[in-house]
Amino acid sequence: MSADFDFGGEVALITGVGGALGSAVADAFLDAGATVCGSDIIEPNTEDFLLAEPERVDFYQADFSDEADVAETVEAVVDEHGRLDYLLNVAGTWRGGTPIHETDLDTFDFLFDVNLKTMFLASKHAIPHLRDTEGAIVSVSARTSLEGGEGDGIYRATKAGIRLLTETIAEENLGSVRANAVMPSVIDTPMNREMMPDADTESWVDPRDIAAVILFLCSDAATVTSGAAVPVYGEV
């Protein structure tokens, strides 16, 4: 059984649109008829930009850990399209491999900037516009945010922060903006396959399946869901 959603006339902003998950989310919203605005620090038509048809997306190159860039981008989206209905906080990355006492401060700062600060700043500047359209935010947390673990505690902390900020945004905007998070485990991406060449990929989740859940959480079918952290890591 499949579900079809109509997002015609609505505008979605996706951060990290050039990555494997961001591009899958963009494709899902485009297929549903939305106007898709995408932002990334990486330019289209480069090796690391994975969106197959970037010309279908209104692209804004920006560093979403820089508040001036975020404010300018959000205002440009609203000025050019007249509204903002959905914010998809997909920008993020992983670093790990060392215990806390061996982790560099630069790694701490980098992960909090890329994972948590981008989500905070994008949400901060989008919320006033999302209130106007009674829109929705979906952010990407992680299954590992539910507990501590060896070697990637800083990453886990950033993703736990995303869950908590999601719950806060939902509470602060009851009746006007819905906010939810998804929690993947290992996503089946080219980068993860390169980083873990000997791993068993059978349980890895296709980015398109996660994108489908994100689409659902923004749809009218999920109007009673806000403040949730939704598992998207398969039956493992």
Side-chain angles (χ1 to χ4, degrees):
M1 184 176 67
S2 61
D4 294 320
F5 298 106
D6 182 5
F7 285 70
E10 297 179 319
V11 178
L13 173 59
I14 303 169
T15 71
V17 73
L21 181 55
S23 58
V25 173
D27 287 338
F29 276 82
L30 286 166
D31 290 345
T35 296
V36 175
C37 301
S39 184
D40 208 306
I41 199 168
I42 302 170
E43 294 184 16
N45 303 315
T46 59
E47 182 180 355
D48 294 329
F49 197 94
L50 302 181
L51 185 61
E53 298 177 275
E55 67 277 2
R56 298 178 67 199
V57 170
D58 291 339
F59 180 73
Y60 303 80
Q61 187 175 8
D63 177 358
F64 263 55
S65 68
D66 183 299
E67 185 161 19
D69 270 16
V70 176
E72 182 178 347
T73 301
V74 172
E75 290 306 316
V77 169
V78 175
D79 288 345
E80 292 172 23
H81 299 285
R83 60 188 295 143
L84 178 61
D85 298 273
Y86 309 109
L87 171 64
L88 299 319
N89 288 309
V90 182
T93 192
W94 181 89
R95 293 288 188 278
T98 57
I100 294 297
H101 70 280
E102 295 178 3
T103 300
D104 293 335
L105 178 59
D106 287 347
T107 299
F108 179 97
D109 289 340
F110 174 75
L111 285 172
F112 269 84
D113 278 353
V114 175
N115 291 347
L116 187 56
K117 190 176 181 181
T118 59
M119 180 266 188
F120 160 69
L121 288 175
S123 301
K124 172 184 174 178
H125 288 275
I127 285 170
H129 303 290
L130 295 171
R131 285 175 173 170
D132 292 338
T133 57
E134 296 186 356
I137 299 172
V138 180
S139 304
V140 179
S141 179
R143 181 182 185 178
T144 55
S145 74
L146 297 173
E147 60 186 4
E150 184 178 352
D152 63 350
I154 307 304
Y155 169 81
R156 292 170 186 249
T158 64
K159 291 298 186 176
I162 288 172
R163 284 193 297 105
L164 291 173
L165 283 186
T166 294
E167 294 173 3
T168 299
I169 292 167
E171 184 69 22
E172 291 177 346
N173 294 276
L174 291 172
S176 59
V177 178
R178 291 185 295 113
N180 293 290
V182 293
M183 296 189 300
S185 183
V186 183
I187 305 174
D188 192 355
T189 68
M191 180 179 291
N192 283 338
R193 284 180 176 263
E194 182 179 344
M195 290 174 60
M196 295 174 277
D198 300 323
D200 180 3
T201 63
E202 186 175 347
S203 64
W204 292 10
V205 177
D206 192 309
R208 292 171 295 184
D209 293 330
I210 299 172
V213 176
I214 291 174
L215 191 71
F216 161 75
L217 288 171
C218 289
S219 75
D220 290 343
T223 55
V224 295
T225 304
S226 190
V230 180
V232 286
Y233 40 77
E235 296 179 352
V236 292

